[in-house]
Amino acid sequence: MPTDTTSVVAAPGSRALEHPARGDIRLADVLHALADPVRMRIVRVLAAAEGELNCVDVELPVSKSTCTHHFRVLRECGVIQQNYRGTAKMNGLRRADLDALFPGLIDGVLRAAELETGRLGDA
Amino acid sequence: MPTDTTSVVAAPGSRALEHPARGDIRLADVLHALADPVRMRIVRVLAAAEGELNCVDVELPVSKSTCTHHFRVLRECGVIQQNYRGTAKMNGLRRADLDALFPGLIDGVLRAAELETGRLGDA
């Protein structure tokens, strides 16, 4: 089956990072990525930002190298896009791709995470 | 924080298997459980059945011991209930608990899985 062309295009002059094309994003990989609490937190912050954020603007209770790992996992499974703008690595949720492939899934997951935080606090 | 009492009660005379109470079910564990294609298949079959099924009635492309493992993972994270009826281990989706905790999540995941199967076939 032919895959869609990726919707993630590196800006002119930026170093491009590898992203799966929309048609290569798999539900199992997305669910696996979201099953980690740190990665879920990243996704929630990016969803709330509704735009791109620098890695350092997402406060996480882990080391810088662990952060880098979690962002890479999210990029490689198609949940986020990462692009260099100068020296800054900017991150954004691939909402259009995810909503096209799995309508309602990300909204449902974000709402579930919000409700759980309301019940249990930010673990 | 007090947890809800479990909604899963063993029938009289049956051997009881351990289940998390509703309040102990965690989103990360549910997403991790659903991230496995065999477990997702089990959940889809149980959702379609709208009732309890014997393990052997869920056709899976893996060995019996691997099946047992996947059913146990689903039970231990609160996605399914498992109860003995005589010698048969019967399985059912804990929809009421999951829908109460995470409204729309399971529907969203099931729909995403259905759409992906439509695109790619049953991998």
Side-chain angles (χ1 to χ4, degrees):
Chain A
M1 151 176 288
T3 57
D4 307 339
T5 56
T6 177
S7 62
V8 180
V9 177
S14 69
R15 284 167 284 166
L17 292 158
E18 263 189 64
H19 294 80
R22 177 186 290 185
D24 292 331
I25 296 173
R26 292 292 173 269
L27 178 61
D29 298 334
V30 170
L31 294 176
H32 174 261
L34 296 173
D36 179 273
V38 172
R39 290 194 292 263
M40 177 67 86
R41 181 161 176 76
I42 294 170
V43 168
R44 293 176 71 188
V45 171
L46 293 178
E50 293 182 16
E52 289 192 327
L53 287 181
N54 194 320
C55 296
V56 297
D57 294 330
V58 183
E59 274 186 52
L60 296 170
V62 293
S63 70
K64 191 169 180 310
S65 68
T66 303
C67 276
T68 303
H69 162 76
H70 286 307
F71 276 98
R72 191 180 65 238
V73 171
L74 287 168
R75 168 170 53 82
E76 288 178 348
C77 73
V79 171
I80 69 168
Q81 61 202 35
Q82 291 195 293
N83 290 299
Y84 282 103
R85 313 276 182 228
T87 58
K89 205 191 268 177
M90 301 302 290
N91 307 277
L93 199 57
R94 291 178 65 176
R95 273 213 88 114
D97 292 319
L98 295 169
D99 287 347
L101 288 170
F102 314 121
L105 180 72
I106 292 297
D107 283 331
V109 169
L110 288 170
R111 172 130 176 79
E114 192 186 335
L115 288 169
E116 187 165 270
T117 300
R119 275 193 301 275
L120 309 174
D122 238 329
Chain B
M1 151 176 290
T3 56
D4 306 341
T5 54
T6 177
S7 63
V8 180
V9 177
S14 69
R15 283 166 286 166
L17 293 159
E18 262 189 67
H19 295 79
R22 178 187 289 185
D24 292 330
I25 296 173
R26 292 291 173 271
L27 178 61
D29 298 334
V30 170
L31 294 176
H32 174 260
L34 297 173
D36 179 275
V38 172
R39 291 195 291 263
M40 177 66 87
R41 182 162 176 77
I42 293 170
V43 168
R44 293 175 71 188
V45 172
L46 292 178
E50 292 183 15
E52 289 192 326
L53 287 181
N54 195 321
C55 296
V56 298
D57 294 330
V58 183
E59 274 185 52
L60 297 169
V62 293
S63 71
K64 192 169 181 309
S65 67
T66 302
C67 276
T68 303
H69 162 76
H70 286 308
F71 276 99
R72 191 179 65 239
V73 171
L74 288 168
R75 169 170 53 82
E76 289 178 345
C77 74
V79 171
I80 68 167
Q81 61 203 36
Q82 290 194 294
N83 289 299
Y84 282 103
R85 314 271 182 233
T87 58
K89 204 191 272 177
M90 301 301 290
N91 308 277
L93 199 56
R94 290 179 65 176
R95 272 213 89 115
D97 291 320
L98 296 168
D99 287 347
L101 288 170
F102 313 121
L105 180 72
I106 293 297
D107 282 332
V109 168
L110 289 169
R111 173 131 178 77
E114 190 186 335
L115 287 168
E116 187 165 272
T117 300
R119 277 193 300 274
L120 309 174
D122 239 329

